[in-house]
C-alpha cells in the first residue's frame, strides 16, 4: 500500500535552524501518516505579498503551513474560516491550504497552552500571572490565561507599546 505524502511547511523569518521538519516527520510516522515538512524562509518585508505566496504554495501542492515571526497577525486574516481562537486573538499560526490558498486558520499556541495548563493544574484558576512577550505567542497565552480565569496579567515586552496594546 502506497501512502500519499502530505506536503507541509513552516513560513517565517529566521527559521533556518528550526527542528520543526524532523518533529513533524516523526509525528507523522508515529500516527501512520507520511509527511513532507519544509522550511520556507521569507523576508519580513514581504508580508503584504503573502496572500499571493500562499496561493502559490497551494498550487505547488502544500496542504498546510505553520506560520511564525513576523507573519502571525497577517495569517489571522488570510483564511476564509478562522477559528474562534484566531478571531479572539487576531493571531494565527496554522493555515490549511486549499486549491485557491488558505481555507482555515488556527491558533494552536492558544489551544496548546490551554491543554497543557489544564493537564497540569486542572480547573484551578491561574491567579496573577506575568506574561513575558506580547507578540504572537504572548498574545495567545494571555488570551488563554483570561479564558482560564486569571485574576490579573502583568505583560512585559521589550517593545513597551506592544505590552500596552495587548493589555
Amino acid at each position: 500500500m502506497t501512502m500519499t505524502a502530505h506536503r507541509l511547511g513552516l513560513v517565517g523569518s529566521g527559521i533556518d535552524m528550526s527542528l520543526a521538519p524532523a518533529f513533524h516527520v516523526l509525528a507523522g510516522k508515529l500516527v501512520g501518516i507520511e509527511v513532507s515538512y519544509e522550511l520556507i524562509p521569507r523576508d519580513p518585508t514581504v508580508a503584504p505579498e503573502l496572500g499571493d505566496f500562499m496561493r502559490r504554495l497551494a498550487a505547488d501542492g502544500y496542504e498546510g503551513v505553520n506560520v511564525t515571526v513576523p507573519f502571525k497577525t497577517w495569517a489571522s486574516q488570510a483564511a476564509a474560516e478562522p477559528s474562534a481562537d484566531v478571531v479572539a486573538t487576531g493571531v494565527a499560526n496554522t493555515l490549511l491550504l486549499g486549491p485557491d490558498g488558505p481555507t482555515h486558520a488556527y491558533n494552536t499556541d492558544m489551544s496548546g497552552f490551554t491543554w497543557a495548563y489544564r493537564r497540569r493544574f486542572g480547573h484551578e484558576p491561574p491567579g496573577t500571572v506575568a506574561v513575558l512577550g506580547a507578540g504572537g505567542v504572548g498574545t495567545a497565552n494571555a488570551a488563554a490565561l483570561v479564558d482560564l480565569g486569571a485574576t490579573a496579567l502583568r505583560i512585559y515586552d521589550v517593545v513597551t507599546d506592544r505590552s500596552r496594546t495587548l493589555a
Side-chain angles (χ1 to χ4, degrees):
M1 178 171 98
T2 303
M3 289 194 300
T4 302
H6 296 277
R7 192 170 188 196
L8 309 171
L10 172 63
V11 176
S13 177
I15 60 173
D16 299 339
M17 301 296 286
S18 174
L19 299 176
F23 169 79
H24 284 84
V25 169
L26 177 59
K29 285 181 183 175
L30 291 173
V31 297
I33 299 171
E34 186 178 346
V35 172
S36 162
Y37 193 96
E38 301 162 37
L39 297 178
I40 309 166
R42 300 297 293 166
D43 185 280
T45 63
V46 301
E49 303 163 12
L50 283 178
D52 290 335
F53 183 67
M54 288 295 159
R55 285 186 283 284
R56 286 196 306 274
L57 289 178
D60 286 344
Y62 283 87
E63 295 176 55
V65 293
N66 294 118
V67 180
T68 192
V69 175
F71 306 115
K72 290 183 177 186
T73 300
W74 170 85
S76 72
Q77 302 164 11
E81 295 186 39
S83 71
D85 291 348
V86 170
V87 173
T89 62
V91 178
N93 68 343
T94 303
L95 296 174
L96 297 184
L97 303 177
D100 298 322
T103 59
H104 295 76
Y106 299 96
N107 186 325
T108 62
D109 292 329
M110 185 174 173
S111 59
F113 181 90
T114 301
W115 177 86
Y117 183 91
R118 288 276 186 235
R119 182 173 168 111
R120 172 63 179 89
F121 299 107
H123 290 282
E124 184 71 27
T128 299
V129 180
V131 177
L132 304 178
V137 174
T139 298
N141 290 347
L145 287 161
V146 169
D147 286 352
L148 291 164
T151 54
L153 298 179
R154 306 288 188 253
I155 302 167
Y156 303 93
D157 194 280
V158 294
V159 180
T160 307
D161 288 344
R162 284 201 317 203
S163 296
R164 287 187 189 116
T165 299
L166 180 55

